[in-house]
Amino acid sequence: MIRILSGAGRYADPWHPFLVTTAGIASVAAELDLDHEAADVTPDTLGDLDGVDVLVVNVGGGGPDPDLSPDRAWSEAFATAEAWLRMGGAMLATHQATNGFPDWPGYRSLLGGEWVPGTSNHPAISDAVFTARPGAEADPLLAGLPGAPQAPRVEAWDERYSHLVMSPEAQVLLEHELDGQAQPVVWRSGADGVRILVDALGHGPESYESPSRRQLLANELLELSAPVN
């Protein structure tokens, strides 16, 4: 079962319509006939993962000045979720989840890349094109996209996250170019012993109206839902 966690409370922010984008993710899971549920992120929905196979994290970091005072329930949920990941659970982190859970020790290293306030940014939202990292064109995660397998791409009205801080272990699959520099937006985490994909697309509902963006998300959900040999 796929559980889609939507930003709420201390992990919402003023810039992202989490309920709407969570509904967009759920609509792709429904088209694939994958068992799924959507829920606000709480200590229970993050920390009780019995019966969950894939966790989709569609949350934020709490806004420009988050009040994230220590909280035992959240700390226990973080520890449980991390243990679940290391025991074979799978996770997809979307868009602002790259800046999510700033009080979860180890979360950013699990992702293999992150939004760092003051360093990361993005141009104004626009019609955007995201292309395969050279060498990744034939990766199964990009199958079925326009131009595949020679030059797969995603086209969507979306934000182009830039200057994310990346781990050298991350396996970058999709990127865009800004000022002559490649900017990663989709990658496999590369962290030891976990199955985590990060997809920095998905700012608003328009992203989930794009057929190529929906194909990418379908590929991600199917990869993470597949049994591990």
Side-chain angles (χ1 to χ4, degrees):
M1 191 264 285
I2 297 170
R3 178 174 293 166
I4 308 165
L5 295 184
S6 189
R10 62 195 258 152
Y11 303 112
D13 65 43
W15 309 292
H16 295 94
F18 291 109
L19 286 176
V20 176
T21 51
T22 291
I25 297 167
S27 72
V28 175
E31 285 185 357
L32 296 171
D33 200 26
L34 294 173
D35 184 22
H36 66 282
E37 65 179 20
D40 286 348
V41 63
T42 68
D44 288 339
T45 57
L46 179 64
D48 182 358
L49 297 171
D50 286 349
V52 176
D53 302 300
V54 178
L55 190 64
V56 179
V57 179
N58 185 40
V59 307
D65 297 301
D67 177 15
L68 299 179
S69 54
D71 184 287
R72 180 176 178 179
W74 281 109
S75 296
E76 290 176 351
F78 298 149
T80 299
E82 186 162 340
W84 174 84
L85 284 166
R86 295 194 181 280
M87 290 188 296
M91 185 172 81
L92 171 64
T94 62
H95 196 59
Q96 184 63 355
T98 55
N99 189 38
F101 300 126
D103 51 337
W104 177 346
Y107 172 73
R108 307 304 174 89
S109 61
L110 284 171
L111 294 187
E114 61 178 305
W115 174 284
V116 176
T119 297
S120 306
N121 51 44
H122 61 78
I125 194 167
S126 65
D127 284 319
V129 179
F130 306 92
T131 57
R133 168 67 59 96
E137 293 89 348
D139 191 281
L141 207 64
L142 307 183
L145 295 178
Q150 288 81 16
R153 67 186 185 277
V154 170
E155 300 174 352
W157 178 268
D158 215 328
E159 290 178 338
R160 290 176 288 149
Y161 273 17
S162 303
H163 303 116
L164 301 175
V165 176
M166 302 296 298
S167 163
E169 284 74 37
Q171 180 189 3
V172 177
L173 301 171
L174 206 68
E175 62 190 15
H176 71 90
E177 185 175 299
L178 182 68
D179 298 330
Q181 294 186 332
Q183 306 291 338
V185 290
V186 175
W187 62 90
R188 294 189 181 92
S189 126
D192 288 341
V194 296
R195 288 195 299 147
I196 296 176
L197 296 174
V198 183
D199 180 340
L201 282 66
H203 173 77
E206 299 87 354
S207 180
Y208 295 93
E209 295 168 2
S210 159
S212 55
R213 194 276 176 277
R214 292 177 70 84
Q215 180 65 59
L216 172 66
L217 181 57
N219 291 350
E220 293 165 347
L221 294 176
L222 290 171
E223 175 172 303
L224 292 173
S225 299
V228 178
N229 295 328

